[in-house]
Amino acid sequence: MSDTRTIRLTVNGETGSYTVPVRQNLVDFIRNDLGLTGSHVGCEHGVCGACSIEVDGDIVRGCLMFAVQADGAEITTIEGLAESDRGAALRSAFSARNALQCGYCTPGMLATALDYVEAGGAADRAAIRAHLSGNYCRCTGYQSIVDAVCDVIEGRVEA
Amino acid sequence: MSGPLTMFDTPRAYIGQPVPRADTKRLLQGRGKFIDDIQLPRMLHAAFVRSPVAHGTITGIDVEEARALPGVIAVYTGADIAPHVEPYVGVLSHLAGLRSAPQMPLAVDVTRWIGEPLVMIIAQSRAVAEDAAALVMVDIDPLDAVTDMETALDPATPVIHAEMDSNLAWERTVDVGDVDAAFARDDVTVVERRFRFGRHTGVTLETRGAVAAFDPSEDELTFWYSGQAPHMMQFIFAKHLGLPEENVRVVSQDVGGSFGIKIHTYGDEIATALAAKLLGRPVKFVADRMESFLSDIHARDHVVDGRIAVDADGRIAALAFDDITGIGPFSMYPRTSAIEANQVLNLTGAPYVMENYRANAKVVFQNKNLMCQYRAVGHPIAMAVADGLLEDAAHEIGMDVVEIRRRNLIPDDAYPTQSASGMKLDDLSHHKSLETLVDAMDYEARRAEHAKLREEGIYRGLGLISMVEVTNPSPMFYGIGGAPIASQDGATIRLDAGGGVHVSSSVTEQGQGTNAILAQIAADVFGVPIERVKVTTGDTRTTPYGGGTWASRGAGIGGEACLQAAQALRDQVLEVAAVILQSEPGKLDIKAGAVVDAEGGAERMRLSDLARTVYYRGNELPSDLKPELIATRHYRVTDFPFVFTNGAMAAEVEVDPETGFVQVLNFWAVEDCGRVINPVLVDEQVRGGVVQGIGGALYEECVYDAEGQLQNATMADYLVPMAFEMPDIVVKHVETPTKTSVLGAKGAGEAGTGGAPGAVMNAVNDALRPLGAAIHQMPMTPERVLRALGKV
């Protein structure tokens, strides 16, 4: 079996083909080969959520998917969200509430929170906490993140 | 408040306001710059072979297969690097008697804990370096491991360092008053408890990491690291790698969590810098998660036998305890692993009026990862022991736990005073904080509700804590003991030609908002809109010399230096403005980026016009005017070893007697950190601290087996608080500014982590009391709760 394979995928609207080691995980490919360092690596085994990215509309753990598995996929990273309008209200709310301190978990946290908001989630604190419960945050204590999500759902924040 | 008016008696546009942090924009767009984001031309990657046994003699290392792997550039054993590194010893001279053994970045001859680095591989990628690491064969003859700290000093236990007569690293006793006589009084009730505090660790989401680059043409090392104390690291690399100090530049950009984990010096970091020096190429080392669990410093690990005596009025007659703490095989360099036990002796019972106090601490070596300073050093032990004993004593004599505090807390008008252990205390507010807490939590109503719920078989409890926190440390903390750790910090503020202001400070940013509060202070004190302030921190080449961020000192020390510098720059600018405007400095002021009339506020000239005149058209100024539009000021605490902060906290929990699960339903924190510079930042830091404290109380533990193997070195096995389990946390403030500075700010970073564990333990015991059970061991896992209930 060859150690590398060529894949073609679209990341943040830009399509390209890349030769990747078959053992390389998706987040390492995005960070190291594409230079999109917004997605972070925290645990490398699917627990902390820092590497959460959007693949074909679903939130996935970039450390649990191989780059070769993303062949043909459409991917949006935190940088892609920032370039579009998506998530602008959440970013404003996170900033106003100081819903981040070191910012390392933030790209994954924001992706997970946006997933909840865009799916029409209610401003129900327990439900929001449950939805975020796969994402570590060691700094904030989570409350301000829940506040920020509620602010967006209840229309208290402008993008 | 009485006394002369200060600048804070007029409204401030920024200080005290919930101004959003400028840094959040960057971080929310994925534009943070963390260590692993750095890519340099020709950069190599390091991986370490770490010890698989806790204690053993290294009899042979075969690296040939690893060296032959394509992509491997270099392989270094402990013996290979020994000639290039001066060994280091983690002792401080003011901690009399503290001893440790010389340490090297990679073990030589003997390995002493699981995870100790043995071999360093340098390769073209981390993946190849890891492949090569797997090919290294290390032969180790196992030795008996010292894992139980309670028997570490027994004659039958092996001694870890051959040159020492025992495994004792340090011992200190504080003995005040006549403790034995107080306990022997026949009018006192005595309560005795044994407390156990498990080992836990920081689990910073960004693991430790570094990129080292060496330029042989200039003999210069540049070291980017995810850390808290750049100038300390500059000294350490210079000393141990034999470089002139000025040829070492240490840069700390975005840091993905630190909590004290990243104030220490780790062997893998020194080895990474050495590899860059030997190879003349940049080398990156980023720990993986398992390496973090094995090698990031661990915290706590105490067994405390405590006793309290209270009289019928609830007054504390005496408090005494013996603490034993295990620190691993070495005292961590350069801050030492004895500081935690020292703080336990200093802080236990410090909020209370006490005449008789005796405390003994024994710090022992063991074959586990090193234990050292982590957020709220010693505080959780001190607070849980004192307030745990006090609440139990209150119940013994039939007194309410709030009432017993009212009778023992140092009165708010008693300052300056000192604690039983001799700590100088000033500007504290224990009673005001307690009453604020009791109001916020609706204490009486909750008590009544709990009594009713108990009849339905629902077991809820309330637990309180009154605390002091060490913040704003002076040179008495480290410098006095010979450590290269600055307690003073500096700020330079420069007016640029465009009218903007640049602040450069030696305190560092790890997400707590240092850069934001420096901007707030500079904007207010100098007089520009905050958008016109740029802040640089974390670079030894461009910032004033200072200590960085630890022990809650960023706002109190770095902030005061910034205030003083802004004031000085203001005076300089007004001097120039007075000449240009043919006025007097005292008749002018700076507001919103312009020089204005002090009276009436009419704008006289924009700062940009003034700066451009000075920088570009100096010919328009009188020859004897020598304008400076840059000012530097340094600040240190002088009259106190620390500036103490105080707080009061309470937890409400529900314990399920069937499963042993504890849920924290509510948490209240009242914090008096003096001047609050940005309430949103302080609130969120307190909340984050509380959640880390709840982690220590209920979930987090580094579990070792009898052979010294770490059993739960993954994020799936080591539990930390997640969003779902955590309550909303009410934060209230009492503001008693410290008189030691103009700014009046103390620290708030230790608060929650220091106080929450004791509050939660007290609450759990309150819930268990009707069931005739009690628990004094953290974390209070379901199994331990069930054991306390006699169910398993």
Side-chain angles (χ1 to χ4, degrees), chain B residues 68-152:
Chain B
L69 192 74
V72 170
I73 304 297
V75 180
Y76 302 102
T77 65
D80 294 333
I81 71 165
H84 305 285
V85 180
E86 186 184 319
Y88 41 100
V89 186
V91 294
L92 289 167
S93 59
H94 69 303
L95 300 177
L98 172 63
R99 59 186 186 171
S100 188
Q103 233 187 310
M104 289 295 285
L106 306 177
V108 182
D109 300 332
V110 178
T111 180
R112 293 185 176 88
W113 85 90
I114 300 277
E116 182 170 17
L118 304 179
V119 179
M120 174 171 52
I121 313 279
I122 306 293
Q124 284 168 349
S125 72
R126 169 77 185 201
V128 171
E130 287 183 28
D131 289 347
L135 298 174
V136 172
M137 306 300 278
V138 184
D139 291 322
I140 299 173
D141 276 353
L143 298 166
D144 286 340
V146 180
T147 54
D148 183 350
M149 65 183 180
E150 292 175 75
T151 58

Side-chain angles (χ1 to χ4, degrees), chain A residues 31 95 100 125 129 143, chain B residues 21 24 37 700 728-729:
Chain A
R31 288 179 48 80
S95 193
L100 64 153
R125 299 183 77 82
R129 284 181 179 277
Q143 182 171 339
Chain B
R21 285 162 56 202
T24 60
D37 302 345
E700 300 186 39
D728 280 346
I729 296 159

